[in-house]
């Protein structure tokens, strides 16, 4: 039950005071146009959106904190419109993250537990050990629905949870909804597909302009009336007329024997003024074919656009081809840019005068796109994420059409779009086609293809198995064409009077295994490339100076790497959760200065304990300050920690304007003691790093930390307290940086507050060299150690080779850049090439020698 919930974003009243109830055992449909407030209502109930007013009661309990973990604890689970599956994690790990704590198994049992659970929901075809990015969008949606149901919720919220599903997938999803309702769960189903609402809902509620317009029994209202209630007026729900024969021009896109990962060989032609649909059951190569027509992933065969050969995506763009992905978050829109810039980013050249964008032209272009597409927004300067999913789709489509392409390839053009806007988009595409645009559409909605397209090409297992003329194509005929293409043994059934269609290898199964293999290779290559570079540097230096590989020389390198490895590990903690701390060098310097006052004598054990106590205490204070600036006050991590660095440098100089004060000789001797050529403190770090890396890979807490780094929004939706974990990461980072200061103090022996300055940038370079990412969620502590040793070696080489100080800086920077380029470009490209080559060999080996697919030209 919700009472008087409301939410305003700036001047936009997303949801006005609204009250309603969800009954146990019912499926409650919630419909409305884009921007009507549906997702806002779902967000408030799920705890991801904090209302301006009102109360949310789940199971009779008032959820006053409005957080996802509170809503989930009381029994509300949500499937979000833009998903919450983390593609970098395995299917099993995603299931584990989205399951309430009380229902989770021990982390060691996760794969077996996940396999058992997916079987319960009829999804045993999913490989729980495969990364989630090996799944199709439809499989991810089904996985999310199943994950929510695994939690045995009291309330299940589904926001556009069927938008990427084909007919078979929709049947499964609706069956799961009814199954949940029959078990006593209250299901709220938000969708723009009204036919699905009528199939499953017991009651239907309507939102318009953020106002609750009433609730109706599903049998008491029809489609036309429901659309009128959503729009506030009568709406023409007819498709535009198809192109007449005289409106179809010459061919502008031609593919012959086109083949790539997951599809082909395919022959296909597209004419000017024509709209061609690509249909098929989910994950049968439709999207791969669409991307192949744009030259993505460099497919085999012959591809021409406007008479120009296409061998890459760049060639396709140059020939007037535009590709619009359904993945708005990652491919279609710029999430960091406002609405205005998203609308004009593709046409800046047309808006410029003398190389400078005209403000008046840009304003006119933005206003034209907003009016033309009916985009509902508060201000063009609002972030793109402030729009509803349907309005984001309109912005994406408007951005592409503004570039005046000659060929438009579009995946799911109306995904997440309301009925009225959907009809507007249909007319927009048809009008563009009448002006000469050639359009190819991939859609999971067979009725959309039947009503809009001039031709429909049906794909099964990557091959074209049928082609239907638009006037004779019906929803039933399209579904029957791809459903009937699967025979009992899984082979594509031949059409009457034709040779059997070729059978490309199924994409996902081999690819998931290859992806896992590639990921193993990438993880190994991160460390292997560093080790190889270290060996090469060592061999070169030894060839130039025979003393380089002696015990004293190696000891000096390891000693130099010791504090760097420690502070790199500190930086890694912040980077792993998606942050950064530029103040670590300042923390080290102030720690050295403090120890020069407090640790000047006494016993070894007492001095070491006192040093660690001072360091950790000081680190806790600095870390808490950074966490407050970044997570509470919302200052950029770089800006906040640069400010902290300046303050720390000032404090250090106040404590020790010049190097002075002697640090306990017993402490310095202990911290520089060695076993052969390796300082014992470095051995301790290696052990700690191995243990910590193991914990990060093989524990639930490690998985939660990784999820926060990979995608804090998705982690938050899944009930992970991402803000708190990021706060902790800054505290741990500063504390461990202060411990690195203790190790540095053991080497300098005096209170010099400036000695930490050189580690500010090196502390960032070392983790990145070891495989960490500034985006978070990647890397290892052992990688930090190897990165630190590489940098220490680079700093030592000029002395060994008799070069000057300038050469030392140049060599350090150059080697860092080379190592980064080799890792990010060479190794990654090698792995991608390996996967592509292996796939093609596998696919070619499985294709029987049959006649090519029938040309659609």
């Amino acid at each position: 039950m919700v009472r008087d919930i409301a939410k305003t974003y700036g001047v936009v009243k997303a949801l006005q005071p609204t009250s309603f109830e969800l009954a146990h055992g019912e499926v409650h449909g919630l419909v409305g146009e884009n921007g009507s407030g549906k997702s806002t209502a779902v967000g408030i109930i799920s705890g991801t959106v904090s209302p301006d007013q009102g109360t949310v009661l789940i199971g009779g309990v008032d959820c006053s904190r409005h957080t996802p973990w509170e809503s989930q604890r009381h029994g509300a689970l949500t499937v979000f419109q833009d998903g919450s599956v983390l593609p970098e994690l395995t299917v099993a790990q995603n299931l584990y993250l989205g399951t309430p704590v009380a229902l989770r198994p021990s982390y060691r049992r996760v794969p077996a537990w996940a396999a058992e659970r997916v079987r319960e929901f009829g999804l045993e075809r999913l490989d729980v050990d495969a990364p989630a990015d090996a799944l199709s969008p439809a499989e991810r949606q089904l996985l999310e629905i199943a994950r929510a149901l695994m939690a045995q919720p009291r309330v299940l919220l589904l926001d556009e949870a069927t938008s990427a599903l084909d007919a078979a997938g929709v049947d499964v999803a609706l069956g799961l909804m009814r199954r949940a309702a029959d078990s006593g769960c209250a299901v709220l189903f938000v969708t723009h597909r009204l036919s699905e609402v009528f199939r499953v809902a017991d009651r239907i509620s309507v939102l318009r302009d953020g106002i609750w317009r009433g609730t109706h029994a599903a049998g008491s209202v029809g489609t036309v009336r429901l659309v009128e209630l959503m729009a506030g007026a009568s709406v023409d729900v007819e498709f535009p007329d198809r192109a007449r024969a005289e409106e179809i021009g010459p061919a502008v896109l031609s593919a012959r024997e086109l083949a790539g990962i997951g599809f082909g060989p395919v022959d296909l032609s597209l004419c000017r003024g024509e709209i061609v649909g690509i249909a098929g059951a989910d994950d049968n190569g439709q999207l791969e074919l669409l991307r192949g027509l744009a030259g993505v992933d460099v497919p085999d065969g012959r591809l021409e656009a406007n008479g120009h050969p296409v061998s890459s995506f760049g060639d396709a763009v140059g020939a007037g081809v535009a590709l619009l992905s359904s993945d708005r978050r990652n491919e279609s829109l710029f999430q960091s840019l406002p609405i205005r810039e998203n609308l004009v980013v593709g046409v800046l050249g047309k808006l410029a005068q003398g190389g400078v964008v005209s403000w008046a032209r840009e304003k006119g272009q933005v206003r034209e796109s907003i009016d033309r597409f009916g985009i509902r927004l508060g201000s063009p300067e609002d972030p793109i994420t402030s729009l509803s999913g349907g309005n984001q789709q309109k912005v994406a489509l408007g951005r592409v059409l503004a570039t005046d392409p000659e060929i438009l390839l579009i995946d799911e053009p109306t995904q997440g779009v309301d009925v009225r806007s959907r009809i507007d988009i249909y007319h927009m595409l048809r009008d563009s086609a009448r002006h000469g645009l050639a359009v190819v559409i991939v859609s999971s909605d067979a009725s959309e293809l039947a009503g809009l397209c001039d031709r429909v090409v049906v794909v099964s297992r990557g091959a074209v198995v049928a082609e239907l003329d638009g006037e004779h194509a019906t929803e039933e005929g399209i579904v029957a064409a791809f459903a009937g293409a699967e025979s009992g043994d899984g082979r594509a059934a031949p059409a009457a009077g034709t040779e059997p269609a070729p059978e490309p290898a199924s994409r996902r199964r081999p690819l998931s295994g290859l992806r896992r293999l590639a990921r193993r290779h990438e993880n190994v290559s991160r460390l292997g490339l560093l080790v190889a570079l270290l060996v090469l540097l060592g061999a070169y230096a030894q060839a130039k100076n025979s003393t380089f590989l002696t015990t004293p020389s190696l000891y000096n390198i390891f000693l130099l790497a010791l504090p760097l490895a420690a502070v790199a590990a500190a930086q890694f903690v912040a980077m792993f959760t998606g942050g950064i701390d530029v103040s670590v060098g300042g923390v080290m310097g102030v720690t050295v200065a403090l120890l020069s006052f407090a640790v000047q004598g006494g016993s070894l054990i007492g001095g070491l304990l006192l040093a660690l106590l001072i360091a950790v205490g000081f680190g806790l204070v600095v870390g808490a300050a950074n966490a407050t600036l970044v997570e509470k006050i919302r200052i950029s991590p770089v800006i906040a920690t640069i400010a902290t660095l300046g303050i720390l440098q000032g404090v250090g100089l106040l404590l020790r304007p010049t190097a002075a004060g002697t640090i306990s000789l017993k402490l310095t001797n202990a911290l520089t003691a060695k076993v052969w050529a390796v300082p014992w403190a470095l051995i301790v770090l290696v052990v700690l790093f191995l243990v910590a890396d193991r914990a990060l890979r093989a524990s639930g807490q490690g998985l939660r930390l990784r999820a926060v780094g990979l995608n804090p929004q998705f982690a938050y939706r899944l009930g992970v307290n991402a803000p708190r974990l990021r706060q902790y990461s800054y505290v741990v980072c500063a504390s461990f940086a202060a411990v690195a200061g203790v190790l540095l103090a053991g080497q300098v022996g005096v209170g010099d507050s400036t000695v930490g300055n050189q580690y500010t940038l090196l502390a960032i370079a070392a983790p990145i060299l070891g495989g960490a990412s500034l985006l978070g969620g990647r890397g290892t502590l052992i990688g930090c150690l190897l990165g630190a040793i590489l940098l220490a070696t680079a700093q030592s080489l000029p002395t060994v080779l008799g070069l000057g100080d300038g050469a030392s800086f140049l060599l350090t920077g150059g080697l860092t850049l080379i190592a980064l380029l080799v890792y990010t470009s060479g190794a990654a490209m090698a792995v991608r090439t390996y996967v592509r080559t292996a796939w093609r060999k596998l696919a070619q080996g499985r294709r029987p020698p049959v006649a090519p697919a029938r040309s659609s030209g």
Side-chain angles (χ1 to χ4, degrees):
M1 174 187 294
V2 295
R3 297 174 181 167
D4 297 322
I5 57 173
K7 183 66 178 179
T8 300
Y9 295 99
V11 298
V12 178
K13 294 182 178 180
L15 187 66
Q16 300 189 44
T18 297
S19 301
F20 66 95
E21 293 185 7
L22 298 178
H24 290 292
E26 78 161 342
V27 178
H28 194 118
L30 178 60
V31 298
E33 292 188 301
N34 292 126
S36 61
K38 305 184 302 298
S39 293
T40 301
V42 171
I44 291 173
I45 301 171
S46 69
T48 58
V49 174
S50 181
D52 298 329
Q53 67 175 65
T55 302
V56 176
L57 299 171
I58 300 175
V61 180
D62 184 357
C63 298
S64 57
R65 299 179 62 187
H66 301 293
T67 61
W69 44 93
E70 180 187 43
S71 296
Q72 291 174 20
R73 186 171 66 251
H74 295 308
L77 273 293
T78 309
V79 178
F80 293 92
Q81 180 175 356
D82 55 351
S84 55
V85 170
L86 292 161
E88 298 86 352
L89 302 182
T90 67
V91 171
Q93 290 170 331
N94 272 283
L95 289 176
Y96 178 86
L97 271 179
T99 301
V101 176
L103 299 176
R104 289 174 182 165
S106 65
Y107 194 75
R108 289 178 297 178
R109 292 192 59 252
V110 167
W113 165 82
E116 180 181 345
R117 299 315 304 271
V118 296
R119 281 196 299 271
E120 292 176 11
F121 289 86
L123 300 176
E124 58 274 2
R125 66 181 182 278
L126 300 184
D127 182 355
V128 298
D129 294 320
D133 63 0
L135 304 180
S136 67
E139 286 175 327
R140 292 187 197 181
Q141 282 199 328
L142 289 175
L143 176 65
E144 292 211 58
I145 296 173
R147 179 173 64 184
L149 289 174
M150 288 176 188
Q152 303 169 8
R154 292 180 176 178
V155 178
L156 177 61
L157 311 172
L158 301 136
D159 189 5
E160 296 290 346
T162 61
S163 58
L165 301 180
D166 61 8
V170 168
D171 290 342
V172 174
L174 299 186
L176 290 175
M177 293 181 208
R178 179 46 59 191
R179 170 179 168 180
D182 291 343
S183 67
C185 177
V187 180
L188 181 66
F189 179 33
V190 178
T191 183
H192 291 301
R193 295 179 173 180
L194 301 185
S195 61
E196 297 173 9
V197 174
F198 285 111
R199 285 176 60 186
V200 74
D202 300 299
R203 292 189 295 162
I204 303 173
S205 294
V206 180
L207 271 172
R208 186 173 76 246
D209 299 327
I211 301 173
W212 197 268
R213 301 291 180 172
T215 300
H216 309 268
S220 67
V221 61
T223 300
V224 175
R225 177 56 182 160
L226 200 58
V227 172
E228 290 177 352
L229 290 170
M230 292 163 55
S234 178
V235 176
D236 179 12
V237 294
E238 296 296 324
F239 286 97
D241 294 334
R242 293 186 178 85
R244 298 187 299 273
E246 59 270 20
E247 293 177 330
I248 303 296
V252 291
L253 182 69
S254 174
R256 293 293 179 267
E257 294 291 316
L258 192 70
I261 298 176
F263 75 94
V266 168
D267 290 356
L268 182 68
S269 68
L270 176 67
C271 297
R272 193 178 300 278
E274 182 182 34
I275 300 179
V276 173
I278 299 179
D282 174 57
D283 199 26
N284 268 263
Q286 306 96 292
L287 178 57
E288 289 79 6
L289 172 58
L290 186 78
R291 295 172 70 87
L293 292 173
V296 177
D297 292 331
V298 193
D300 296 325
R302 183 181 175 187
L303 180 64
E304 290 185 357
N306 282 312
H308 300 286
V310 173
S311 58
S312 67
F313 181 61
D315 292 342
V317 172
V321 178
L323 174 66
L324 182 60
S325 168
S326 63
D327 186 354
R328 294 189 290 262
R329 175 183 296 274
N330 298 312
E331 297 184 0
S332 295
L333 296 171
F334 296 92
Q335 299 293 310
S336 59
L337 298 183
I339 300 166
R340 170 182 57 82
E341 294 184 17
N342 268 282
L343 284 170
V344 302
V345 69
V347 292
L348 294 178
K350 293 197 305 183
L351 303 178
Q353 291 179 320
V356 178
V357 174
S358 166
W359 180 83
R361 288 185 179 182
E362 180 181 6
K363 183 178 179 181
Q365 177 68 42
V366 170
R367 177 49 53 194
E368 178 186 346
S369 295
I370 291 173
D371 293 341
R372 179 184 179 190
F373 292 95
I375 301 170
R376 303 180 64 171
L377 73 166
S379 165
E381 300 304 321
D382 289 342
I384 192 69
T385 52
S386 68
L387 297 179
S388 65
N391 280 298
Q392 288 186 35
Q393 179 71 1
K394 294 179 185 179
V395 171
L397 185 59
R399 176 183 63 79
V400 171
L401 289 180
T403 64
D404 296 324
E406 296 189 56
I407 301 166
L408 175 60
L409 311 175
I410 181 169
D411 179 31
E412 300 290 352
T414 60
Q415 183 171 293
V417 176
D418 62 70
V419 176
R420 180 162 60 175
S421 298
R422 184 176 300 198
I423 297 300
D424 290 342
I425 289 175
Y426 296 155
H427 282 278
M428 219 173 305
L429 291 174
R430 178 54 69 188
D431 290 342
S432 297
R434 290 196 175 105
H435 286 87
L437 180 67
V439 184
V440 178
I441 293 174
V442 169
S443 176
S444 57
D445 188 344
S447 63
E448 177 173 86
L449 296 176
L452 178 64
C453 297
D454 302 303
R455 279 190 293 140
V456 178
V457 173
V458 180
V459 175
S460 177
R461 300 175 68 81
V464 175
V465 295
E467 180 180 316
L468 305 176
D469 181 83
E471 292 190 2
H472 300 97
T474 63
E475 180 178 1
E476 294 77 10
I478 293 172
V479 173
F482 64 71
E486 297 295 328
S487 61
D489 61 358
R491 294 181 179 270
T498 66
E499 295 291 333
E503 182 194 10
S506 175
R507 176 191 181 212
R508 183 173 47 80
R509 284 301 169 213
L511 190 57
S512 64
L514 287 173
R515 279 179 173 167
R516 289 199 300 273
L517 183 61
R519 291 192 177 200
R520 291 195 199 103
H521 282 213
E522 285 183 317
N523 290 332
V524 171
S525 69
R526 293 177 182 177
L527 307 182
L529 286 171
L530 287 179
V531 172
L533 189 55
L534 282 169
V535 170
L536 290 174
L537 286 176
Y540 175 77
Q542 180 67 16
K544 295 293 184 179
N545 188 329
S546 60
T547 65
F548 180 75
L549 293 181
T550 60
T551 299
S553 178
L554 292 176
Y555 170 70
N556 287 332
I557 292 175
F558 288 135
L559 194 63
L560 185 61
L562 175 58
L564 177 53
V567 74
Q571 187 67 260
F572 172 77
V573 172
M575 291 171 63
F576 195 70
T577 56
I580 194 169
D581 187 350
V582 184
S583 69
V584 291
V587 172
M588 294 176 71
V590 174
T591 301
V592 172
L594 290 173
L595 296 186
S596 69
F597 288 103
V599 186
Q600 296 182 333
S603 67
L604 170 60
I605 300 299
L608 180 60
L609 291 177
L610 179 59
L612 292 175
L613 182 62
I614 292 172
V616 172
F618 174 59
L620 289 174
V621 172
V622 176
N626 283 335
T628 300
L629 292 173
V630 175
E631 295 299 327
K632 297 292 187 182
I633 306 179
R634 302 289 184 181
I635 300 176
S636 164
V638 174
I639 301 301
T641 55
I642 285 178
T644 305
L645 174 63
I647 294 171
L648 291 173
Q649 289 175 332
V651 170
L653 290 174
L654 288 175
L655 291 173
R656 291 294 188 189
T658 59
T662 302
I663 297 172
S664 170
L665 185 60
K666 291 181 180 179
L667 179 63
T668 58
N669 287 337
L671 292 177
T672 56
K674 63 180 181 178
V675 178
W676 182 62
V678 184
W680 71 266
L682 188 61
I683 296 174
V684 172
L685 282 185
V686 170
V687 174
L688 292 175
F689 288 176
L690 288 172
V691 172
D693 278 339
R694 174 64 179 171
L696 285 176
R697 292 193 308 269
S699 70
Q701 186 61 30
L703 182 62
R704 287 187 282 276
L705 287 170
R706 187 181 176 195
V708 170
L710 291 172
N711 193 316
Q713 181 185 18
F714 283 10
Y716 184 76
R717 289 176 175 180
L718 295 174
V720 178
N721 195 336
R724 180 178 297 174
L725 289 179
R726 284 197 300 264
Q727 291 177 39
Y728 288 162
S729 73
Y730 282 105
V731 173
V732 173
C733 173
S735 299
F736 209 68
V739 173
V742 174
L743 298 175
L744 182 60
Q747 296 183 19
V748 298
V750 295
D752 184 355
S753 66
T754 65
V755 294
N757 294 345
Q758 62 180 315
Y759 292 94
T760 297
L761 296 180
L762 292 176
I764 299 173
I768 292 177
L769 283 171
S773 169
L774 290 174
L775 299 178
R778 297 171 179 85
T780 62
L781 289 166
I782 288 297
C784 295
L785 173 66
L786 290 176
I789 294 175
L790 174 64
L791 293 176
T793 303
Q795 290 179 316
S796 302
L797 278 179
T799 302
V800 174
L801 300 178
L803 303 176
D805 291 339
S808 176
F809 287 108
L810 288 173
L811 186 57
T812 300
L815 285 174
T816 302
L817 181 60
I818 291 171
L820 285 171
L821 290 175
V822 168
Y823 169 65
T824 58
S825 299
M829 181 61 72
V831 170
R832 284 195 295 269
T833 301
Y834 169 80
V835 172
R836 186 179 295 120
T837 302
W839 163 256
R840 286 183 177 171
K841 287 182 178 178
L842 178 63
Q844 290 167 1
R846 291 180 57 181
R847 286 189 187 129
V850 297
R854 177 167 58 93
S855 170
S856 58

